[in-house]
């Protein structure tokens, strides 16, 4: 008995101890962006008395809900070492098409919703199919879709906004449930479902496998083409949902809607820790990344900082985030 105890003690002693420096480094690596978000909230609260109010905080999340939903889809795409530059234009296309079916006393509200989601899903399937079957780089394919979808939105609407939307449709972007804006509820639901998909299903396991090593995934029997199509289809579906929410919120279908949203979505994903090299990324990190952008935008607006300077600052943050990501990859 004593000999067994001594063996166990020797085994415990032989385990490498983690230094306090390594422990702090791990905590910062895991929760660093959350700490930055909290620090930004504290800083903006000190600089602007109107920042830390319930109304303003809800406004930040509501404003970032559209970009956040798109960013969740983009995150899953990037994990597979892909990219989606078409999401902003898909939002515009969905916006004008959904708005044309959302006039009062015409169709039930479910009709423009399903049509908008269908259009987004279709663009994603087209992207994924061309990328996986024709073996064309995602950058080129989604860049082409970005141009085509924007052109289609302008053509469909004749370059003009489509207004006169029903109250039931406008409720999606402007209504509240139990005091919480509907876009925030939808954003939270999308985040939860996407977390389950990515962490608790075969789909998520294969997404990480493809991003980590596509050839190894193929050898292991993963149908890479199929899952790439599913990934881009899901990203397109979320872009369609974002387009519906945005259209409802601004009460019109705009062919110019969603400008630069794809870059904000990519920025949120990268700031949240998603690696552009693939195989690494989390839904929670992307949501935090989107909130960091939202807090910065809102806080700088309250401080009367020029929007031009805000764009410069956002560019610097993205560059720094990519630099940190590349350093992490080199170390690993």
């Amino acid at each position: 008995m004593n000999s067994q105890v001594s063996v166990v003690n020797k085994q415990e002693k032989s385990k490498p101890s983690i230094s306090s420096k390594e422990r702090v480094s791990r905590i910062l690596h895991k929760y660093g962006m959350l700490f930055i978000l909290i620090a930004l909230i504290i800083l903006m609260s000190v600089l602007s008395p109107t920042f830390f109010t319930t109304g303003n905080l809800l406004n930040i999340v509501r404003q970032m809900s559209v970009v956040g939903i798109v960013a969740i889809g983009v995150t899953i795409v990037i994990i597979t070492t892909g990219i989606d530059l078409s999401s902003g234009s898909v939002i515009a296309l969905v916006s004008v098409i959904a708005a044309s079916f959302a006039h009062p006393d015409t169709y039930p509200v479910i009709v423009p919703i399903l049509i908008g989601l269908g259009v987004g899903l279709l663009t994603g399937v087209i992207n994924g199919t061309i990328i996986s079957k024709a073996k064309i780089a995602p950058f080129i394919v989604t860049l082409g879709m970005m141009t085509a979808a924007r052109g289609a939105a302008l053509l469909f609407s004749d370059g003009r906004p489509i207004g006169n939307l029903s109250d039931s449709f406008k409720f999606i972007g402007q209504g509240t449930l139990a005091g919480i804006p509907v876009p925030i509820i939808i954003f939270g639901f999308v985040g939860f479902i996407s977390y389950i998909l990515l962490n608790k299903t075969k789909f998520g396991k294969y997404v990480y496998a493809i991003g980590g090593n596509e050839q190894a995934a193929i050898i292991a029997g993963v149908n890479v083409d199929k899952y790439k199509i599913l990934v881009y289809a899901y990203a397109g579906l979320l872009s369609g949902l974002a387009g519906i929410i945005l259209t409802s919120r601004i009460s019109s279908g705009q062919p110019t809607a969603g400008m630069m949203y794809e870059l904000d979505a990519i920025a949120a994903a990268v700031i949240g820790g998603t690696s552009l090299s693939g195989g690494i990324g989390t839904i929670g990190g992307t949501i935090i990344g989107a909130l960091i952008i939202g807090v910065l935008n809102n806080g700088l607006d309250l401080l009367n900082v020029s929007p031009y300077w805000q764009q410069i600052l956002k560019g610097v943050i993205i560059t720094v985030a990519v630099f940190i990501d590349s350093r992490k990859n080199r170390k690993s």
Side-chain angles (χ1 to χ4, degrees), residues 12 45 53 62 72 100 123 136 194 205 238 263 291 328:
E12 289 177 350
S45 300
T53 60
R62 178 169 50 194
I72 288 171
S100 66
T123 60
I136 301 175
S194 300
K205 184 173 72 172
L238 293 188
L263 297 185
L291 292 177
K328 284 181 184 176

Side-chain angles (χ1 to χ4, degrees), residues 10 15 25 65 111 115 132 137 141 161 163 165 212 240 251 265 278:
K10 286 180 181 179
K15 291 180 181 178
S25 177
S65 60
V111 173
I115 289 174
S132 60
V141 174
L165 307 184
S251 301

Side-chain angles (χ1 to χ4, degrees), residues 7 9 15 35 54 68 77 141 143 161 175 179 191 196 202 210 215 218 233 244 254 260 263 289 297 311 315 320:
V7 168
N9 289 334
K15 291 180 181 178
F35 293 151
T54 302
V77 168
V141 174
L143 181 63
I196 297 297
K202 183 173 69 174
I210 292 168
Q215 291 303 315
I218 293 171
I244 291 168
Q254 297 280 350
M260 303 294 287
L263 297 185
N297 289 342
Q311 289 293 327
V320 171

Side-chain angles (χ1 to χ4, degrees), residues 163-175:
N164 189 29
L165 307 184
S166 66
D167 291 337
S168 57
F169 185 80
K170 287 190 286 187
F171 180 80
I172 299 169
Q174 301 176 20

Side-chain angles (χ1 to χ4, degrees), residues 2-22:
N2 290 333
S3 61
Q4 291 178 344
V5 172
S6 62
V7 168
V8 170
N9 289 334
K10 286 180 181 179
Q11 289 177 343
E12 289 177 350
K13 288 178 181 179
S14 63
K15 291 180 181 178
S17 59
I18 302 173
S19 67
S20 57
K21 184 178 179 180
E22 289 176 339

Side-chain angles (χ1 to χ4, degrees), residues 81-151:
T81 68
I83 199 75
D84 189 357
L85 301 176
S86 66
S87 49
S89 296
V90 171
I91 286 174
L93 181 58
V94 168
S95 179
V96 294
I97 293 177
S100 66
F101 289 91
H103 299 308
D105 303 320
T106 53
Y107 300 98
V109 69
I110 192 66
V111 173
I113 292 173
L114 290 178
I115 289 174
L117 293 176
V119 170
L121 180 66
L122 178 62
T123 60
V125 170
I126 292 171
N127 280 338
T129 301
I130 296 174
I131 288 166
S132 60
K133 300 299 183 182
K135 308 302 179 186
I136 301 175
F139 180 89
I140 301 300
V141 174
T142 58
L143 181 63
M145 179 60 77
M146 178 181 77
T147 306
R150 183 70 65 182

Side-chain angles (χ1 to χ4, degrees), residues 25 29 211-212 273 275-280 323-332:
S25 177
H29 183 269
S275 173
L276 291 172
S277 302
I280 299 172
F323 173 74
I324 293 172
D325 173 59
S326 65
R327 288 290 298 271
K328 284 181 184 176
N329 289 336
R330 287 197 202 105
K331 286 181 180 179
S332 60

